[in-house]
Amino acid sequence: MLDILVAVGIPVEGLASDRGREKMAGACLAAGQIVESFKEAKSVMNGYFPTTREIIKFENSHYGEHISSGSYDDIRRKDLKPLIDEGLVVNSSVLDQAATNNPKRGYTLSAPFANLIKVYGTSKWEKQLAYFIDVHQKAKEELARKRAMERIPVTLPSGVTLELSTGEHNLLQKKIVEEFLSLFGMGAEVLYIGDSTDKYLHRDTEALQQLHITLEHGTLPDIVAYSREKNLLFLIEAYHSSNPMNGERVSTLKQLVVDSGANVVFVTAFLNKLEGLKHLKEIAWETEVWFANEPEHMIHLNGCKFLKVYNSEES
């Protein structure tokens, strides 16, 4: 599989380790439900999209892996993402317009890629590979044009306009930037915001360095903003399917910003209260919860801090 991925242009050598390359190949094989032969490869034409948890189970059952069931997000973010970006693996969201990072959605091989790997090692391989690369490149260009037309514009407090890819997660990020920070940010500027197609869509490297924050995608929350006036550092998670500000997440993020010298505000944002209340028990104390459909209000999971504010002479 690695040989095939190299042949079609996937930069596997850019991965940090042999294990990273092995995991990408394993996830690709599992997405196609391949056990013994490439001829078994299933694709979007078969209508079966295994979830990331099912992919883990498949790899453990058939490839001698011992991947934790809790690593489903790593499968999506690390192992499958380069393959999805290149159109070799297809997210079921392309069929129902669901968010691309919904763990209930599944993944399978694209039909052209499945057809290609079925002839690997045969006399048809070279001809089919050349045809695939030609057609695939044209398809990528068309997809890029389509994505450009479907972007979500978001205006930062500085006035800079960015374009996010489509999906409920990025719609929520837009609301956080344009509504939450406007209401509660106290003049905060956005230092970092990621996107499913560009993990470093916006980053203020100089400001992050001044706060001694190192960018580690996968560890950082969706949005980092900083109010110089109040020395408040906002770490905001746009919750759609994973990573609310629970105790473990807050502990990890505290280590990331321990040298910032700022007062840190942890925020979990939801599109609506109904969704947020379902996950409220997971969220850590001394953090904030914000609902995009009721933007002028917040839930503060500890009263002491705000009681002091209300009792102060300044208030």
Side-chain angles (χ1 to χ4, degrees):
M1 178 55 78
L2 282 173
D3 186 31
I4 292 172
L5 294 179
V6 170
V8 299
I10 298 294
V12 297
E13 294 302 322
L15 296 176
S17 64
D18 289 341
R19 178 57 177 161
R21 290 184 277 275
E22 184 179 54
K23 287 193 67 186
M24 178 189 288
C28 190
L29 289 165
Q33 302 289 282
I34 299 166
V35 179
E36 295 182 353
S37 167
F38 285 127
K39 291 182 172 61
E40 303 170 354
K42 292 182 172 59
S43 74
V44 65
M45 301 303 292
N46 298 100
Y48 176 60
F49 292 79
T51 66
T52 47
R53 286 185 173 89
E54 289 169 337
I55 285 173
I56 289 172
K57 184 176 180 180
F58 193 90
E59 291 193 60
N60 290 345
S61 297
H62 297 289
Y63 308 152
E65 290 281 7
H66 297 88
I67 303 172
S68 166
S69 60
S71 299
Y72 63 90
D73 207 41
D74 283 344
I75 296 291
R76 176 177 62 84
R77 290 180 180 238
K78 298 178 181 179
D79 304 337
L80 288 175
K81 189 177 185 305
L83 307 176
I84 295 168
D85 290 345
E86 285 296 318
L88 307 184
V89 171
V90 179
N91 187 317
S92 62
S93 66
V94 301
L95 303 181
D96 60 15
Q97 299 302 309
T100 56
N101 62 348
N102 188 333
K104 295 181 181 178
R105 303 305 168 200
Y107 305 85
T108 191
L109 304 183
S110 71
F113 184 60
N115 290 335
L116 172 68
I117 68 176
K118 286 177 181 179
V119 301
Y120 179 74
T122 73
S123 59
K124 299 179 180 179
W125 167 250
E126 294 295 337
K127 183 177 180 180
Q128 282 289 97
L129 176 62
Y131 176 76
F132 175 86
I133 290 174
D134 180 54
V135 172
H136 185 61
Q137 182 59 38
K138 292 176 181 176
K140 281 176 59 180
E141 292 170 358
E142 178 60 29
L143 179 61
R145 284 193 292 271
K146 180 180 177 183
R147 284 176 173 170
M149 294 175 63
E150 295 177 343
R151 307 291 283 183
I152 298 173
V154 56
T155 302
L156 303 185
S158 63
V160 173
T161 298
L162 306 175
E163 290 187 334
L164 302 171
S165 55
T166 56
E168 288 187 350
H169 179 263
N170 284 339
L171 179 60
L172 179 54
Q173 291 203 114
K174 174 182 173 69
K175 290 180 178 293
I176 291 168
V177 171
E178 296 182 349
E179 297 183 41
F180 174 82
L181 290 178
S182 176
L183 289 165
F184 302 107
M186 301 182 189
E189 291 294 324
V190 175
L191 305 189
Y192 167 81
I193 183 170
D195 182 76
S196 58
T197 58
D198 183 356
K199 62 184 179 180
Y200 297 127
L201 178 66
H202 171 76
R203 55 176 169 173
D204 187 332
T205 304
E206 182 178 350
L208 288 165
Q209 288 177 345
Q210 289 175 355
L211 290 166
H212 304 287
I213 298 174
T214 302
L215 288 175
E216 296 179 27
H217 190 66
T219 301
L220 276 177
D222 294 309
I223 296 171
V224 177
Y226 179 60
S227 168
R228 296 182 184 276
E229 178 186 350
K230 299 295 184 179
N231 193 30
L232 291 175
L233 181 65
F234 293 88
L235 303 183
I236 309 170
E237 200 68 64
Y239 184 92
H240 185 265
S241 61
S242 61
N243 289 334
M245 289 294 183
N246 57 28
E248 180 181 359
R249 186 94 173 106
V250 168
S251 178
T252 299
L253 290 173
K254 282 182 177 178
Q255 294 301 312
L256 189 68
V257 300
V258 66
D259 296 322
S260 69
N263 296 310
V264 185
V265 181
F266 300 93
V267 182
T268 307
F270 295 91
L271 277 171
N272 56 68
K273 184 186 288 186
L274 181 63
E275 181 67 19
L277 292 179
K278 289 193 299 186
H279 301 281
L280 195 59
K281 63 182 181 181
E282 304 173 43
I283 298 174
W285 292 111
E286 299 183 3
T287 69
E288 321 298 328
V289 178
W290 182 75
F291 309 116
N293 68 327
E294 299 183 36
E296 296 180 352
H297 304 281
M298 264 197 304
I299 293 178
H300 172 65
L301 293 175
N302 232 359
C304 182
K305 181 188 296 184
F306 282 153
L307 286 175
K308 289 179 180 178
V309 171
Y310 295 145
N311 292 330
S312 70
E313 293 181 0
E314 292 181 2
S315 64

